[in-house]
């Protein structure tokens, strides 16, 4: 993927089956290629059944999709975010990834993904969003804190929160 040109556009929309390969490539490329995490797509069974895993209850999975230069057809997955309903008015923010070339406030992709998720959560009556991340994603820590999330201890997580093997830092946002 090349750096986006100023004429490139993007949009946020719910995941569809055609996004499967693009989402897996995006996430795996960031986890393994950029951050050298020893996690594979096979270690993440949720990626093999996105509708079954994320869409029950108030859950959803969104993609940020960019247009190639000089076309009106959106097709390149440049970001994603998921909301997993864990019950009791709580949900887990999962799978927030933005391709390196599309990061930063100049593009606004990450902020738009998060805004989409939070609007959906509020509309769905959720009261709290919780997330786990790795110590290596320092820019993500700053991003979440900038958007009102506060760091919490692992002991404060509800029993229904799905802790990933790489999760060691946790955040919460009360809606």
């Amino acid at each position: 993927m090349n750096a986006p040109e100023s004429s490139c556009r993007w949009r946020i929309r719910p995941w569809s089956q055609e996004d499967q390969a693009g989402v897996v490539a995006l996430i795996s490329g960031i986890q393994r290629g950029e951050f050298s995490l020893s996690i594979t797509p096979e270690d993440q069974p949720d990626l093999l059944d996105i509708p079954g895993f994320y869409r029950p209850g108030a859950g959803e999975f969104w993609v940020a999709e960019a247009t190639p230069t000089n076309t009106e057809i959106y097709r390149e997955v440049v970001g994603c975010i998921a909301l997993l309903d864990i019950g009791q008015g709580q949900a887990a923010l999962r799978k927030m990834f933005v391709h390196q070339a599309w990061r930063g406030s100049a593009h606004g992709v990450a902020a738009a993904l998060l805004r989409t998720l939070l609007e959906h959560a509020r509309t769905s009556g959720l009261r709290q969003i919780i997330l786990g991340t790795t110590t290596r994603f320092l820019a993500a820590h700053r991003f979440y804190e900038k958007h009102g999330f506060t760091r919490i201890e692992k002991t404060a997580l509800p029993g229904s929160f799905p802790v990933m093997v790489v999760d060691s830092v946790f955040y919460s946002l009360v809606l």
Side-chain angles (χ1 to χ4, degrees):
M1 179 180 307
N2 296 322
E5 298 176 19
S6 60
S7 62
C8 286
R9 295 187 318 232
W10 55 268
R11 66 179 176 179
I12 308 293
R13 63 168 178 75
W15 177 91
S16 69
Q17 188 61 46
E18 295 78 34
D19 300 318
Q20 183 70 36
V23 166
V24 170
L26 172 74
I27 292 172
S28 182
I30 293 170
Q31 289 173 328
R32 296 179 62 76
E34 193 175 333
F35 290 96
S36 301
L37 296 174
S38 60
I39 188 169
T40 67
E42 293 75 26
D43 295 329
Q44 303 169 79
D46 56 316
L47 292 179
L48 304 177
D49 183 18
I50 286 174
F53 193 85
Y54 288 105
R55 289 191 167 149
E60 184 55 89
F61 196 107
W62 296 270
V63 296
E65 182 180 59
T67 61
T69 307
N70 299 324
T71 181
E72 295 297 316
I73 301 170
Y74 290 87
R75 65 175 82 142
E76 186 172 20
V77 175
V78 298
C80 62
I81 193 168
L83 185 69
L84 177 66
D85 188 332
I86 60 172
Q88 305 299 314
Q90 298 171 311
L93 186 160
R94 305 263 316 248
K95 303 300 183 196
M96 183 165 189
F97 291 93
V98 176
H99 188 280
Q100 190 172 24
W102 288 86
R103 291 181 198 151
S105 58
H107 301 294
V109 174
L113 283 164
L114 182 59
R115 191 169 45 252
T116 299
L117 178 141
L118 294 176
E119 288 171 7
H120 175 83
R122 286 182 179 106
T123 301
S124 299
L126 295 171
R127 297 184 323 271
Q128 183 183 25
I129 307 296
I130 305 164
L131 67 95
T133 187
T134 173
T135 56
R136 293 187 188 182
F137 292 175
L138 297 177
H141 299 184
R142 291 188 299 274
F143 175 82
Y144 294 127
E145 290 166 5
K146 175 182 171 184
H147 288 89
F149 284 80
T150 56
R151 199 163 173 168
I152 61 172
E153 295 298 321
K154 186 175 183 179
T155 56
L157 296 172
S160 58
F161 183 81
V163 177
M164 300 272 304
V165 172
V166 297
D167 289 345
S168 56
V169 178
F170 303 92
Y171 286 92
S172 169
L173 177 68
V174 176
L175 301 176

